[in-house]
Amino acid sequence: MATELLEEKSVQAATIMQQAQEAFDSYKKAGAAVKAAFLQQIAASIESYREVLVATAQEETHLPLPRLNGEISRTTGQLQLFANVLLEGSWVEAAIDMADDTRTPARPDIRKMKVPSGPVIVFGASNFPFAFSTAGGDTASALAAGCSVVIKAHPAHEKTSNLVYKAIEEAIQKSNLHQHVVQHVSDKGNALAKALVQHEHAAAVGFTGSLAGGKAIWQYANERACPIPVFAEMSSINPVVLFPDKLQQQPAQLAQLYAASITAGMGQFCTNPGLLLAVKGEGFQLFLQHLGEEIGKVAPQPMLHEGIYCNWQRASEEILQQQKVEIVVQSAQQATGICPLPVIAKVPAATFIQNGVLKEEVFGPLSLVVECEDVHELKQALQQVKGQLTTTLMATEKDLEQFTDIIALQQSLAGRIIINSVPTGVEVCAAMVHGGPFPATTDARFTSVGSSAIQRWVRPLCFQGFPDALLPDELKNSNPLHIWRIVNNQLTNSAL
Amino acid sequence: MATELLEEKSVQAATIMQQAQEAFDSYKKAGAAVKAAFLQQIAASIESYREVLVATAQEETHLPLPRLNGEISRTTGQLQLFANVLLEGSWVEAAIDMADDTRTPARPDIRKMKVPSGPVIVFGASNFPFAFSTAGGDTASALAAGCSVVIKAHPAHEKTSNLVYKAIEEAIQKSNLHQHVVQHVSDKGNALAKALVQHEHAAAVGFTGSLAGGKAIWQYANERACPIPVFAEMSSINPVVLFPDKLQQQPAQLAQLYAASITAGMGQFCTNPGLLLAVKGEGFQLFLQHLGEEIGKVAPQPMLHEGIYCNWQRASEEILQQQKVEIVVQSAQQATGICPLPVIAKVPAATFIQNGVLKEEVFGPLSLVVECEDVHELKQALQQVKGQLTTTLMATEKDLEQFTDIIALQQSLAGRIIINSVPTGVEVCAAMVHGGPFPATTDARFTSVGSSAIQRWVRPLCFQGFPDALLPDELKNSNPLHIWRIVNNQLTNSAL
């Protein structure tokens, strides 16, 4: 990059981050009720723009209207979820150990709770213009935590992002909050992103996108004099194990279920089942045959944008050119424009185990079926797979009893393990984990979906010997917020 | 390092980590009661060796007997604390969102809990041969989490470490656990440490020591193909603000309190108050005079080992040679062997603000007093301080009312904030935070002391659509462990 450009972006980033820090210093003092009302106001504001938002997003992303409408509802639902998390209040994990003057030496009064980390940088995702972008889960959870937010619009849907930001701006005004509590920036390249992440006021980063993009941002953060946490959700092929008895019993049903999951959203989901593992035999043959029939029927839809389509072409061709990889079926429909033809390929497990290329994510409707000689080889193949967001097992009761070692292996691979369903479809709830061991994410200890996502933007702070009046409400003796707290090692929602 | 040496250490590390992985695969299945009994067995085993442990540690570390006896009690107390955490059970943060067939689409059954990450590498600390070393807080919390542990003995107290490991080995045998659930290694250099941290089976690292050491280990971890979390507690000067009214009211009492804290353990605590900030004036002069008298009385004790003493000499001389730094007082006693003379130095705030050297930790009994023209300059000086484990304010009610902005600034600096006491003395309890923003630690989101320290060694795992029989006990419908769980967004310890 030219030095001049870097200089310019660095000056721009400094202004933005100074504003973000000032907004943080103001916003972090807001109580739970104020922050909850703000999140609800953003949701209402987005709802008031629903029609134009959907139309703009459709133009920019080619996603179908019902999907975009559903995604807006998911987005406002997430904002409401975090408002509820704030109003319930136990997310601060308050703990109180009261003073004990009878002990030698006397024990002081010690209390702790989670406090916001500081300004957060959020990168919009290409595949979810609403739910993982401008006012998506990262922004909603960071604002709930008490952080100010700087959003970098995804270049592929900047108009949509600008519109969502307009809705956020209205909510800021109506809520009488610091005008820079949420800021919105655009940049075609990486220079501004790097300058923002490396600015001393940046406290954490949220990212959903490619492995290359996530690793670059993680690298920027680690180059800092003071490193900061990066929550990048990057890459997952979501291995599905089709166990022998299940495959024998229901080859057609499995094929139908998985054809739909593989081609949902033209394979542009982080949880797309990109890898299926099974032992060869009659059930396997029938499954492939039915899968072929189902995939053949799928009408291609345009991908999100031309760049993603070009990447898909390049990446899927690379897979298909590998030795011993053979195409099982490709959609029988006519390809046009940036519409990919969904494709299923097959490879012997022995080849899969040796070849690293076959273990990389292909973003789009390609799934690789690994044909194993026996269950032992299937386990070997699975052992070669890197960290994942999800892993699934399709199994009868007989399978579940028989293959406990493979199920244990699956539990060590991913953040979510699913029995007899599909990995696509990520519920927004308290028990969800949308995360997993590297390279699925940069930090397997956290989730980016569900109420626990708020924990990414906080750190614990301990107050020792504080007079009651100076403590935050969450830690006061009277428990004015009526939250659950651990008091002298006992969980209680009573006052002291 | 010679290639041959690296090769040899790498082979050694591979054997150790293979054993650690096998032990993990066995130990992670142990229930809460088994793990709790194991921790209690380690505590009992250490207790049975108390006399020889204390004698050996005294020989190696020069720490006084009462201190070492106290530290053994702290160590066995920590093991008991984590046994209690296991028996209480809510640390797994179980959450259950039950299926809802009436919704379109139907909502699946989703449950999550924390599961152990894998084999953990623990580095013994020089300044706590028991409580932060072989069977210290890192080992106790990692074993409680269900991880196997590889301990690298601190070279300065290897005999003590070997003896503690002998106690652990006996506990492993008595508990009928995998023989490699805890392993113990020694190495004079860094080669084995690097090979262990970079081995693919290593899942996380715990370290307490110097900034250089912590950063090196963090770097090893980030060079891996698959990075892992490093919890390094590295460097803190624990700034203490002496507010004007308090200084005016109680200069002698403050001096007495702080002389004791500064020289406790010859300044060899992570929480040693290395920096005091105050506004000049009559109270300030009286405080310095009294502090001088108190420090003058302190009898020098030997430091932990010669290397630390040499570092202290070099680092304290570097501070004292800086422009405008002047010695306020030095112990009037006679220096002998590796006994340092406690020293208090003074510097104008304007100089402190400019000079980076003055903001670095000096491990030993040196504290720097920053003399400020006014409270505004005090705030400016405090703004230049990096992330800390603790920060303290000595204040009257009048001060507390007046200086809310400085108190807010202090809250952003550290993991623990203390009013009207000293930072030395770290309670082992639920509400403790022994951690803080970089460079105090590599990860401000976690604590290395107290029951929450267990959270460093786990990640959340989500189970979707699992039959009850296949779920871990923590997530079963009947709640056989009677633990607190979030069920459909409500906290409860009942069965479903």
Side-chain angles (χ1 to χ4, degrees):
Chain A
M1 276 179 265
T3 318
E4 257 177 51
L5 177 67
L6 283 177
E7 184 96 357
E8 181 198 315
K9 298 296 180 183
S10 166
V11 170
Q12 189 187 350
T15 306
I16 293 163
M17 293 314 298
Q18 185 57 41
Q19 289 169 174
Q21 181 65 44
E22 283 163 20
F24 173 66
D25 288 335
S26 160
Y27 180 62
K28 71 180 177 188
K29 296 174 202 150
V34 170
K35 290 187 290 179
F38 176 42
L39 295 179
Q40 287 164 332
Q41 190 64 58
I42 296 175
S45 190
I46 287 173
E47 196 56 67
S48 75
Y49 284 98
R50 181 183 278 267
E51 263 182 63
V52 62
L53 280 173
V54 166
T56 310
Q58 192 182 33
E59 186 189 297
E60 288 190 311
T61 66
H62 314 110
L63 291 170
L65 278 182
R67 148 72 198 266
L68 288 168
N69 262 307
E71 198 184 320
I72 287 197
S73 301
R74 183 184 176 99
T75 306
T76 57
Q78 285 179 156
L79 288 156
Q80 184 58 54
L81 171 91
F82 285 109
N84 294 344
V85 165
L86 290 172
L87 297 172
E88 193 275 334
S90 66
W91 72 276
V92 300
E93 297 179 358
I96 298 175
D97 289 294
M98 292 170 75
D100 180 0
D101 294 336
T102 65
R103 201 191 65 172
T104 313
R107 190 170 86 167
D109 183 281
I110 299 179
R111 307 183 184 211
K112 82 165 174 190
M113 63 177 281
K114 296 283 177 80
V115 297
S117 297
V120 169
I121 319 290
V122 170
F123 289 85
S126 68
N127 61 341
F128 279 87
F130 300 119
F132 285 84
S133 289
T134 322
D138 286 351
T139 299
S141 56
L143 289 175
C147 298
S148 57
V149 174
V150 176
I151 299 153
K152 162 94 167 48
H154 194 282
H157 48 72
E158 253 178 39
K159 283 187 202 165
T160 308
S161 197
N162 275 311
L163 264 178
V164 174
Y165 183 63
K166 197 175 158 198
I168 295 174
E169 271 187 313
E170 288 181 14
I172 295 172
Q173 278 168 13
K174 283 192 187 161
S175 307
N176 282 319
L177 292 171
H178 192 289
Q179 62 166 322
H180 295 123
V181 66
V182 186
Q183 297 179 84
H184 187 250
V185 301
S186 298
D187 186 34
K188 296 287 176 202
N190 299 329
L192 183 58
K194 183 174 179 178
L196 289 169
V197 170
Q198 296 196 331
H199 191 276
E200 60 172 336
H201 289 333
V205 183
F207 171 89
T208 303
S210 69
L211 183 60
K215 279 168 82 171
I217 284 166
W218 184 77
Q219 198 58 49
Y220 298 158
N222 285 341
E223 283 166 12
R224 296 166 50 109
C226 168
I228 55 173
V230 171
F231 303 96
E233 192 255 88
M234 302 182 293
S235 164
S236 190
I237 52 175
N238 304 296
V240 177
V241 178
L242 308 168
F243 280 100
D245 191 47
K246 186 75 172 183
L247 202 55
Q248 187 71 24
Q249 303 283 334
Q250 308 184 312
Q253 293 94 319
L254 287 178
Q256 198 172 11
L257 187 66
Y258 271 85
S261 176
I262 288 166
T263 58
M266 280 291 104
Q268 298 170 115
F269 289 125
C270 323
T271 53
N272 197 55
L275 189 72
L276 297 101
L277 303 107
V279 175
K280 69 180 187 185
E282 194 196 352
F284 184 76
Q285 287 308 326
L286 281 167
F287 170 74
L288 281 191
Q289 185 191 321
H290 287 294
L291 190 65
E293 285 165 18
E294 294 294 333
I295 294 286
K297 291 182 210 162
V298 175
Q301 304 279 337
M303 292 190 85
L304 289 157
H305 59 82
E306 203 171 327
I308 282 191
Y309 177 71
C310 293
N311 282 342
W312 145 262
Q313 278 194 308
R314 188 194 45 71
S316 59
E317 270 168 31
E318 193 184 1
I319 295 282
L320 298 176
Q321 280 165 7
Q322 300 297 307
Q323 277 203 325
K324 302 217 175 166
V325 171
E326 78 187 69
I327 293 181
V328 175
V329 67
Q330 197 156 28
S331 168
Q333 315 285 318
Q334 189 64 41
T336 53
I338 58 168
C339 301
L341 291 178
V343 55
I344 305 291
K346 188 176 83 163
V347 68
T351 308
F352 176 79
I353 289 168
Q354 298 298 327
N355 189 339
V357 173
L358 302 178
K359 290 153 201 149
E360 301 297 329
E361 184 185 42
V362 175
F363 195 72
L366 175 139
S367 290
L368 189 62
V369 181
V370 177
E371 185 174 20
C372 308
E373 292 296 319
D374 50 30
V375 173
H376 178 71
E377 198 186 43
L378 189 152
K379 190 176 169 187
Q380 285 182 313
L382 203 56
Q383 277 167 336
Q384 297 305 313
V385 167
K386 294 184 241 181
Q388 303 290 333
L389 292 173
T390 76
T391 184
T392 303
L393 45 145
M394 304 304 292
T396 61
E397 278 190 34
K398 187 178 150 193
D399 292 320
L400 294 176
E401 277 168 31
Q402 204 172 344
F403 302 114
T404 50
D405 58 332
I406 293 179
I407 300 169
L409 174 61
Q410 287 186 278
Q411 294 188 26
S412 71
L413 269 184
R416 179 162 59 109
I417 176 165
I418 301 138
I419 293 192
N420 290 333
S421 183
V422 293
T424 44
V426 183
E427 285 293 325
V428 181
C429 60
M432 177 49 61
V433 178
H434 191 63
F438 189 92
T441 75
T442 43
D443 198 334
R445 294 166 296 171
F446 295 87
T447 175
S448 61
V449 174
S451 41
S452 299
I454 194 172
Q455 297 296 340
R456 294 175 298 167
W457 319 116
V458 293
R459 66 179 178 94
L461 179 58
C462 176
F463 301 80
Q464 182 172 327
F466 267 55
D468 199 62
L470 248 69
L471 284 166
D473 284 351
E474 289 85 348
L475 297 178
K476 283 189 164 73
N477 289 338
S478 63
N479 194 12
L481 303 175
H482 307 292
I483 62 174
W484 285 94
R485 314 188 288 191
I486 295 173
V487 178
N488 299 334
N489 296 314
Q490 296 290 326
L491 198 59
T492 169
N493 59 0
S494 304
L496 299 194
Chain B
M1 276 180 268
T3 318
E4 256 176 51
L5 178 69
L6 283 175
E7 185 93 357
E8 181 198 317
K9 297 296 179 183
S10 166
V11 170
Q12 188 188 352
T15 306
I16 293 163
M17 294 314 297
Q18 185 57 40
Q19 290 170 176
Q21 181 65 45
E22 282 163 21
F24 173 66
D25 288 335
S26 159
Y27 181 62
K28 72 179 177 189
K29 295 174 203 152
V34 171
K35 290 187 289 179
F38 177 41
L39 295 178
Q40 287 163 333
Q41 189 64 59
I42 296 175
S45 191
I46 288 173
E47 197 56 69
S48 75
Y49 283 97
R50 181 184 279 265
E51 264 183 62
V52 60
L53 281 173
V54 167
T56 310
Q58 192 182 30
E59 185 190 300
E60 289 190 310
T61 66
H62 313 110
L63 291 170
L65 279 182
R67 149 71 198 268
L68 287 169
N69 262 305
E71 198 184 321
I72 287 198
S73 301
R74 184 184 175 99
T75 306
T76 56
Q78 284 179 159
L79 288 157
Q80 184 58 54
L81 172 93
F82 286 109
N84 294 344
V85 165
L86 290 173
L87 297 173
E88 194 276 334
S90 66
W91 71 275
V92 299
E93 298 180 357
I96 298 175
D97 289 295
M98 292 170 74
D100 180 0
D101 293 337
T102 65
R103 201 192 66 173
T104 312
R107 189 170 86 166
D109 183 279
I110 299 179
R111 307 182 184 211
K112 82 163 173 193
M113 63 177 281
K114 295 284 176 79
V115 297
S117 297
V120 168
I121 319 290
V122 170
F123 289 86
S126 69
N127 60 342
F128 278 87
F130 300 119
F132 285 85
S133 289
T134 322
D138 286 352
T139 299
S141 56
L143 289 176
C147 297
S148 57
V149 174
V150 177
I151 300 153
K152 162 98 166 46
H154 195 284
H157 47 73
E158 253 178 38
K159 281 186 203 164
T160 307
S161 198
N162 274 313
L163 265 178
V164 174
Y165 183 61
K166 196 176 158 199
I168 296 175
E169 271 188 314
E170 288 180 13
I172 294 172
Q173 278 169 13
K174 284 193 186 161
S175 306
N176 282 319
L177 292 171
H178 192 290
Q179 63 166 323
H180 295 124
V181 64
V182 185
Q183 296 177 85
H184 186 251
V185 301
S186 299
D187 187 33
K188 295 288 173 202
N190 299 328
L192 183 59
K194 182 173 179 179
L196 289 170
V197 170
Q198 295 196 332
H199 191 276
E200 60 172 336
H201 289 333
V205 183
F207 171 91
T208 303
S210 70
L211 183 59
K215 279 167 84 169
I217 284 168
W218 184 77
Q219 198 58 50
Y220 298 158
N222 286 340
E223 282 166 12
R224 295 166 51 108
C226 167
I228 54 172
V230 171
F231 303 96
E233 191 254 88
M234 302 181 294
S235 163
S236 188
I237 52 176
N238 305 295
V240 177
V241 179
L242 308 169
F243 281 101
D245 192 46
K246 185 76 172 181
L247 203 54
Q248 187 71 26
Q249 303 283 334
Q250 308 184 311
Q253 292 95 320
L254 287 177
Q256 199 172 9
L257 187 66
Y258 270 85
S261 176
I262 288 166
T263 58
M266 281 293 104
Q268 298 170 117
F269 289 126
C270 322
T271 53
N272 197 56
L275 190 72
L276 296 101
L277 303 107
V279 175
K280 68 179 187 185
E282 193 197 352
F284 184 76
Q285 286 309 325
L286 281 169
F287 169 75
L288 281 190
Q289 185 190 317
H290 288 292
L291 190 63
E293 285 164 19
E294 295 292 333
I295 294 286
K297 291 182 213 161
V298 175
Q301 304 279 337
M303 293 191 83
L304 289 158
H305 58 82
E306 202 170 329
I308 284 191
Y309 178 71
C310 293
N311 282 341
W312 144 263
Q313 278 194 308
R314 189 194 44 73
S316 59
E317 270 169 29
E318 193 183 2
I319 296 282
L320 298 175
Q321 280 166 5
Q322 300 296 307
Q323 278 203 326
K324 301 214 177 172
V325 171
E326 78 188 69
I327 292 181
V328 174
V329 67
Q330 198 156 27
S331 168
Q333 315 286 318
Q334 189 64 41
T336 54
I338 59 169
C339 300
L341 292 177
V343 55
I344 305 290
K346 187 176 86 163
V347 67
T351 307
F352 176 80
I353 289 168
Q354 298 298 326
N355 189 339
V357 173
L358 302 177
K359 290 152 202 150
E360 301 299 328
E361 183 185 39
V362 175
F363 194 72
L366 176 141
S367 289
L368 190 64
V369 181
V370 178
E371 183 174 24
C372 308
E373 292 295 321
D374 51 30
V375 173
H376 178 69
E377 198 185 43
L378 190 153
K379 189 176 170 186
Q380 285 181 313
L382 203 56
Q383 278 167 337
Q384 297 304 314
V385 167
K386 295 184 239 179
Q388 302 291 333
L389 292 173
T390 76
T391 183
T392 303
L393 45 145
M394 304 305 293
T396 61
E397 277 190 33
K398 187 178 152 195
D399 292 321
L400 293 175
E401 275 168 30
Q402 204 172 344
F403 302 114
T404 50
D405 58 333
I406 292 179
I407 300 169
L409 173 60
Q410 287 186 276
Q411 294 188 28
S412 71
L413 270 184
R416 178 162 60 109
I417 177 167
I418 300 138
I419 294 192
N420 290 335
S421 183
V422 293
T424 43
V426 183
E427 285 293 326
V428 181
C429 60
M432 177 49 62
V433 178
H434 190 63
F438 190 94
T441 74
T442 43
D443 198 333
R445 294 166 296 171
F446 296 86
T447 175
S448 61
V449 175
S451 42
S452 299
I454 195 172
Q455 298 296 339
R456 293 175 298 167
W457 319 116
V458 293
R459 65 180 179 93
L461 178 60
C462 176
F463 300 80
Q464 182 171 326
F466 265 56
D468 198 61
L470 248 68
L471 285 166
D473 284 352
E474 289 85 349
L475 298 177
K476 283 190 163 72
N477 289 338
S478 62
N479 194 13
L481 303 176
H482 307 293
I483 61 174
W484 286 94
R485 315 187 289 190
I486 297 173
V487 178
N488 299 333
N489 296 316
Q490 297 290 325
L491 198 58
T492 169
N493 59 0
S494 304
L496 300 194

